[in-house]
Amino acid sequence: MQFLFLGILLLVVGCNGEAHPRWNGQCALSSPVDEEVFPRQVSSNVLRDFQVTAPVYAPPDAKCEQTLMVHSFGNSYGQPFVGPYNPPSCDFNRVVMNFTVTSKGRQFDRLALMYLNDTEVFRTSTAEPTANGIIWTYTKDMSALLSLFKEPQKLIFDLGNLIDQTYTGPFNTTLSATYFMEANTPAAADMVIPVSGRMSSSNQPSAFVLPAVTAINNLTLPRNIKKAYFTLSACGQANEEFWWSNVPSSTTQTFSNTTLLGFSPWREVQLLIDGSIAGVAWPFPVIFTGGVVPGFWRPIVGIDAFDLKEDEIDISPFIPILADGKSHKFEIRVVGINDDGKGHASIAETVGDNWVVTGKIFLWLDDKGSTTTGIMSIRNVSNPEFHVISGTQRLSNGTNTTLTYSVLAQRNLEINSTIKTSEGEQVVSWRQSISFSNTGEVSDGGNTEVNSQMTSGAHQSSNGYSRIYSYPLYVWNTFSDNSASGGNLTISGKMDRSKDEEVLGRGALDTPVDALPPSGDSDSAPSYTGYSIRNRQNGTADLVQNNAKNISASSGETEQTYELSGEAGSLPQNAQAVPDYGNGKELYSRHVIAKNAAVILDKESPVMDEGFIANDIVSNPGLQMLGYPMAGVRGMLGRGPA
Ligand SMILES: *[C@@H]1O[C@H](CO)[C@@H](O)[C@H](O)[C@H]1NC(C)=O
Ligand SMILES: *[C@@H]1O[C@H](CO)[C@@H](O)[C@H](O)[C@H]1NC(C)=O
Ligand SMILES: *[C@@H]1O[C@H](CO)[C@@H](O)[C@H](O)[C@H]1NC(C)=O
Ligand SMILES: *[C@@H]1O[C@H](CO)[C@@H](O)[C@H](O)[C@H]1NC(C)=O
Ligand SMILES: *[C@@H]1O[C@H](CO)[C@@H](O)[C@H](O)[C@H]1NC(C)=O
Ligand SMILES: *[C@@H]1O[C@H](CO)[C@@H](O)[C@H](O)[C@H]1NC(C)=O
Ligand SMILES: *[C@@H]1O[C@H](CO)[C@@H](O)[C@H](O)[C@H]1NC(C)=O
Ligand SMILES: *[C@@H]1O[C@H](CO)[C@@H](O)[C@H](O)[C@H]1NC(C)=O
Ligand SMILES: *[C@@H]1O[C@H](CO)[C@@H](O)[C@H](O)[C@H]1NC(C)=O
Ligand SMILES: *[C@@H]1O[C@H](CO)[C@@H](O)[C@H](O)[C@H]1NC(C)=O
Ligand SMILES: *[C@@H]1O[C@H](CO)[C@@H](O)[C@H](O)[C@H]1NC(C)=O
Ligand SMILES: *[C@@H]1O[C@H](CO)[C@@H](O)[C@H](O)[C@H]1NC(C)=O
């Protein structure tokens, strides 16, 4: 185990721009979008990977900064970076983190989790390097975790990587944080409490890896809670990385030469408090940079690949129980579907190996010494309704040629309580209504698969927070393997996916609207009550590998459109599952197309209503297309063990 101590760099720079009203005496940017904030290209040979997302602002002047980690992750399985975190000496109510990574050579995509003591604060994954090297920067507003950044902590950064003669790329990382004050910042939670493996005292990461362990913490909380949220962080890895392409369990033996992965393409991440469901998350299907066909994700990475988002649950209706001064059991589960092939389907309490999960409890407290009381009046959690059908086409001799299936799921949940705080009595409630559908077809002995999936939901809390979202996903892929006879192994794919959401009010987490650069027009200081995001990626890609000829190359074309709008609406009384756009004011948008690892179109609207600016178009003829790692085609496509 290593324990590295890093010197802390404190930077205080003078103000050379004009002070901006929104930033409480901080300096305004002289131009809304400049190269310093959004550098696109480092040098002609180093590829700059990026995730399309709205910009995150940190004032360039009058700030304090700390470098938290400078570390190369080489042979780092089981060897996280461990270093001290100490709060800076300046006043701050906002924290923006910059995670910058370089890598060169050949390497898989890796998952990485950052913790402050036992609390996971950031989950990311890596891009796959090229022979000439790659670099990326991801900036993240972490102000919702203010209470953690105000205390000394142990910083544990776990990025498990392996180096050998074939997989040569380490991930060289720099993590820094900028701290500043903002006038109209939302009140961050007073306390953030982890539900995790709690391993920091032995310098180890604290994620639970399901289903090998159960994810349970017994916790006694303060008695003066007035608002409580829970955030779930969960993603599938290994046999569960492509959970959305898993088949009904009754059909895993359709093709004689392969076992398909089961438990259906439906997953639910559950939060249970004292054994009762308090809320659920139907996860967004993240695709990592080596996923399906790696040529999709260079240099544009998949939606959320650099920032695996959490789902939020308002657990305020549990305050009557949680504020009783006794210990309560918090458990996170990941479930799928068992089916018998005859139309009967039920929850599978366990799924494949594995899911990496943690949770956080966000508490806002009442006056010291006060005790919140109350009663839970309604806890109406329906069983999810499933509709699973499947069928096969077969030849006259009985050989199956095509498997088709359809999985539908639906669930409603409503929990209401009355609580009494120093401010009086109020009803607190949490409602979720979610539906899911996936139709899939597998053919060609398991070598070709297509999935069309839709997850959509409406979540609503009595404190004014509501989120409606839809995650359509279409993925087709096929492979042929002639490598045994010295020929090519090829994979081809097509995808079209979106993450659309509309959020009104405020849950526990930071919103992209809070993190935008200040507007040039001080009158338009944000009065938004929420935001909406429309984010779509589509494209085609191919991969060819020939071991005899030492070829491993992937070509592809990926297009992405991203639009962030500020919403001024009030909470919809009847939240519908399909987001209703059109009331919002567009604040930021980007349209980018990358082909064969070069950006061929890139239009970005600045935040300031000055029309579109065109970013540099990267033409990179010298770029090496070689060097994609392959861990076995089934592993790569999620169609079976690697
Ligand atoms: C992020 O950090 C990197 C390396 O430390 C630096 O080069 C880059 O300018 C920073 N980006 C922003 C937006 O602060
Ligand atoms: C990463 O760091 C290692 C060790 O410090 C160094 O040898 C290597 O050149 C660095 N690679 C990149 C791409 O910066
Ligand atoms: C973090 O853990 C260390 C011990 O490893 C402890 O001294 C410190 O108080 C903890 N910080 C917080 C905020 O709990
Ligand atoms: C949590 O408490 C329950 C009793 O309520 C006990 O059975 C269980 O072992 C405890 N679990 C952990 C992880 O401490
Ligand atoms: C055909 O597929 C079904 C399930 O999808 C399976 O039960 C059956 O055993 C398969 N038949 C053969 C001959 O593989
Ligand atoms: C069934 O027929 C197909 C097509 O003629 C053939 O490829 C396959 O080997 C046969 N399977 C068996 C089990 O005889
Ligand atoms: C519980 O919720 C279902 C719909 O999800 C609804 O039909 C039923 O009336 C509710 N029951 C109560 C007691 O509110
Ligand atoms: C639960 O509370 C919400 C918000 O206060 C309210 O709209 C809803 O009608 C309540 N549900 C029931 C079944 O009383
Ligand atoms: C199954 O594998 C055998 C041996 O590798 C091969 O001969 C046969 O063609 C395969 N069958 C299918 C349907 O792919
Ligand atoms: C194998 O792939 C290489 C590179 O794309 C291509 O030049 C060659 O024609 C392919 N061979 C076959 C038999 O398809
Ligand atoms: C993405 O889809 C649009 C149609 O909505 C199509 O015009 C475009 O060519 C597609 N882009 C790619 C890279 O396939
Ligand atoms: C295979 O190709 C890679 C990348 O071009 C090169 O570094 C390596 O030396 C080649 N290996 C062999 C055995 O030719």
Side-chain angles (χ1 to χ4, degrees):
M1 195 150 319
Q2 55 198 337
F3 192 100
L4 298 187
F5 185 86
L6 275 171
I8 277 165
L9 178 73
L10 190 70
L11 247 170
V12 182
V13 198
C15 193
N16 5 340
E18 276 170 70
H20 193 282
R22 189 179 149 201
W23 299 95
N24 203 23
Q26 312 292 334
C27 304
L29 277 174
S30 51
S31 75
V33 177
D34 68 22
E35 274 303 300
E36 208 174 86
V37 182
F38 304 111
R40 294 290 172 218
Q41 204 179 352
V42 189
S43 80
S44 58
N45 284 330
V46 174
L47 184 69
R48 179 171 286 278
D49 292 300
F50 58 94
Q51 178 180 313
V52 173
T53 187
V56 172
Y57 179 70
D61 305 299
K63 66 190 178 184
C64 60
E65 259 184 22
Q66 287 186 340
T67 300
L68 302 174
M69 170 176 81
V70 178
H71 189 69
S72 177
F73 290 90
N75 273 314
S76 53
Y77 260 112
Q79 296 206 299
F81 167 86
V82 181
Y85 168 79
N86 285 298
S89 51
C90 62
D91 280 342
F92 64 99
N93 63 4
R94 298 195 72 81
V95 182
V96 169
M97 197 183 65
N98 171 341
F99 182 52
T100 296
V101 185
T102 59
S103 185
K104 192 173 159 138
R106 186 188 295 229
Q107 195 49 264
F108 291 107
D109 53 336
R110 306 291 189 185
L111 186 68
L113 279 74
M114 172 188 172
Y115 307 84
L116 292 177
N117 276 13
D118 296 329
T119 311
E120 179 184 342
V121 296
F122 177 49
R123 183 178 299 205
T124 186
S125 68
T126 64
E128 294 190 343
T130 64
N132 288 329
I134 59 167
I135 183 169
W136 78 90
T137 290
Y138 190 79
T139 49
K140 185 174 169 75
D141 179 11
M142 307 193 71
S143 308
L145 300 171
L146 193 67
S147 65
L148 298 178
F149 283 97
K150 294 269 181 178
E151 299 284 334
Q153 306 267 5
K154 204 183 266 184
L155 167 63
I156 298 182
F157 203 106
D158 185 30
L159 193 171
N161 190 26
L162 285 177
I163 304 275
D164 61 20
Q165 284 186 328
T166 312
Y167 301 109
T168 53
F171 292 100
N172 293 1
T173 64
T174 304
L175 181 71
S176 58
T178 301
Y179 309 83
F180 54 101
M181 287 297 289
E182 194 212 326
N184 299 316
T185 243
D190 298 304
M191 289 178 84
V192 179
I193 300 165
V195 169
S196 75
R198 295 177 174 261
M199 299 287 282
S200 72
S201 59
S202 50
N203 290 344
Q204 287 300 308
S206 291
F208 293 115
V209 180
L210 305 181
V213 300
T214 53
I216 297 177
N217 279 179
N218 290 335
L219 299 169
T220 304
L221 303 180
R223 305 207 61 185
N224 57 338
I225 309 169
K226 62 178 184 192
K227 178 171 130 185
Y229 266 77
F230 196 96
T231 62
L232 285 165
S233 186
C235 62
Q237 294 282 287
N239 283 355
E240 288 284 305
E241 180 176 342
F242 303 96
W243 49 269
W244 45 267
S245 68
N246 285 17
V247 301
S249 290
S250 64
T251 67
T252 57
Q253 302 303 324
T254 300
F255 304 107
S256 52
N257 281 4
T258 185
T259 296
L260 302 170
L261 295 171
F263 302 108
S264 91
W266 178 81
R267 291 292 174 276
E268 178 175 78
V269 186
Q270 303 178 328
L271 167 67
L272 294 91
I273 298 178
D274 293 336
S276 302
I277 288 182
V280 297
W282 290 14
F284 173 74
V286 173
I287 303 180
F288 298 101
T289 59
V292 186
V293 188
F296 285 130
W297 318 119
R298 188 180 273 180
I300 307 177
V301 304
I303 295 170
D304 290 356
F306 284 162
D307 187 2
L308 286 94
K309 297 287 205 280
E310 294 157 82
D311 285 280
E312 307 181 60
I313 295 167
D314 188 347
I315 54 168
S316 302
F318 280 81
I319 291 176
I321 295 164
L322 299 176
D324 67 0
K326 297 185 181 133
S327 169
H328 296 283
K329 188 166 101 172
F330 288 82
E331 177 169 9
I332 302 166
R333 287 189 192 163
V334 179
V335 301
I337 298 176
N338 280 326
D339 77 298
D340 66 357
K342 297 177 188 117
H344 302 115
S346 59
I347 280 197
E349 290 294 348
T350 186
V351 294
D353 206 9
N354 58 53
W355 278 77
V356 179
V357 307
T358 71
K360 287 194 277 289
I361 304 168
F362 289 71
L363 297 180
W364 286 260
L365 301 179
D366 203 351
D367 301 336
K368 267 206 177 70
S370 73
T371 298
T372 310
T373 55
I375 51 161
M376 192 182 279
S377 48
I378 291 161
R379 197 182 153 276
N380 185 5
V381 178
S382 70
N383 288 321
E385 286 164 32
F386 299 126
H387 189 61
V388 178
I389 52 172
S390 60
T392 51
Q393 282 172 27
R394 56 182 84 87
L395 300 175
S396 53
N397 66 11
T399 302
N400 289 325
T401 56
T402 305
L403 165 69
T404 52
Y405 57 89
S406 155
V407 175
L408 304 177
Q410 219 276 325
R411 137 116 87 189
N412 295 311
L413 170 162
E414 178 172 25
I415 306 173
N416 281 19
S417 291
T418 305
I419 63 169
K420 196 172 167 200
T421 64
S422 66
E423 286 152 25
E425 207 170 75
Q426 69 186 107
V427 174
V428 289
S429 67
W430 176 241
R431 274 196 274 178
Q432 296 186 273
S433 170
I434 325 178
S435 45
F436 171 92
S437 67
N438 185 309
T439 56
E441 185 176 297
V442 191
S443 55
D444 192 17
N447 294 354
T448 301
E449 179 162 20
V450 59
N451 283 99
S452 293
Q453 178 171 296
M454 174 63 118
T455 309
S456 57
H459 301 178
Q460 192 167 324
S461 144
S462 56
N463 79 358
Y465 167 82
S466 81
R467 175 169 184 261
I468 50 186
Y469 54 91
S470 58
Y471 309 149
L473 170 76
Y474 165 86
V475 175
W476 168 85
N477 58 66
T478 187
F479 74 91
S480 71
D481 186 357
N482 300 311
S483 53
S485 53
N488 289 343
L489 183 156
T490 60
I491 306 177
S492 300
K494 269 189 218 157
M495 60 88 192
D496 193 345
R497 59 199 294 244
S498 300
K499 186 178 188 190
D500 294 336
E501 58 186 326
E502 181 171 339
V503 175
L504 291 175
R506 181 168 293 283
L509 299 174
D510 297 298
T511 79
V513 176
D514 294 332
L516 285 176
S519 158
D521 169 11
S522 60
D523 294 337
S524 70
S527 54
Y528 303 113
T529 51
Y531 65 91
S532 62
I533 292 174
R534 276 196 285 180
N535 192 3
R536 173 181 177 217
Q537 289 183 318
N538 65 315
T540 54
D542 300 284
L543 178 138
V544 178
Q545 179 167 286
N546 190 308
N547 292 332
K549 295 182 186 141
N550 192 24
I551 296 171
S552 172
S554 191
S555 57
E557 182 167 353
T558 296
E559 178 163 6
Q560 186 159 7
T561 49
Y562 178 100
E563 274 173 46
L564 169 68
S565 299
E567 295 288 335
S570 55
L571 195 66
Q573 282 309 301
N574 295 303
Q576 285 146 19
V578 178
D580 168 32
Y581 302 105
N583 303 324
K585 175 180 170 4
E586 184 179 297
L587 297 174
Y588 173 81
S589 73
R590 189 167 177 189
H591 178 201
V592 51
I593 303 178
K595 187 171 184 178
N596 299 342
V599 174
I600 60 168
L601 176 138
D602 192 351
K603 278 179 164 180
E604 182 177 27
S605 76
V607 183
M608 317 280 287
D609 293 330
E610 285 172 15
F612 281 95
I613 57 158
N615 289 309
D616 288 349
I617 304 302
V618 183
S619 69
N620 210 338
L623 186 82
Q624 292 254 7
M625 293 300 292
L626 304 179
Y628 281 95
M630 288 276 296
V633 68
R634 289 186 186 278
M636 195 154 185
L637 295 168
R639 219 163 289 155

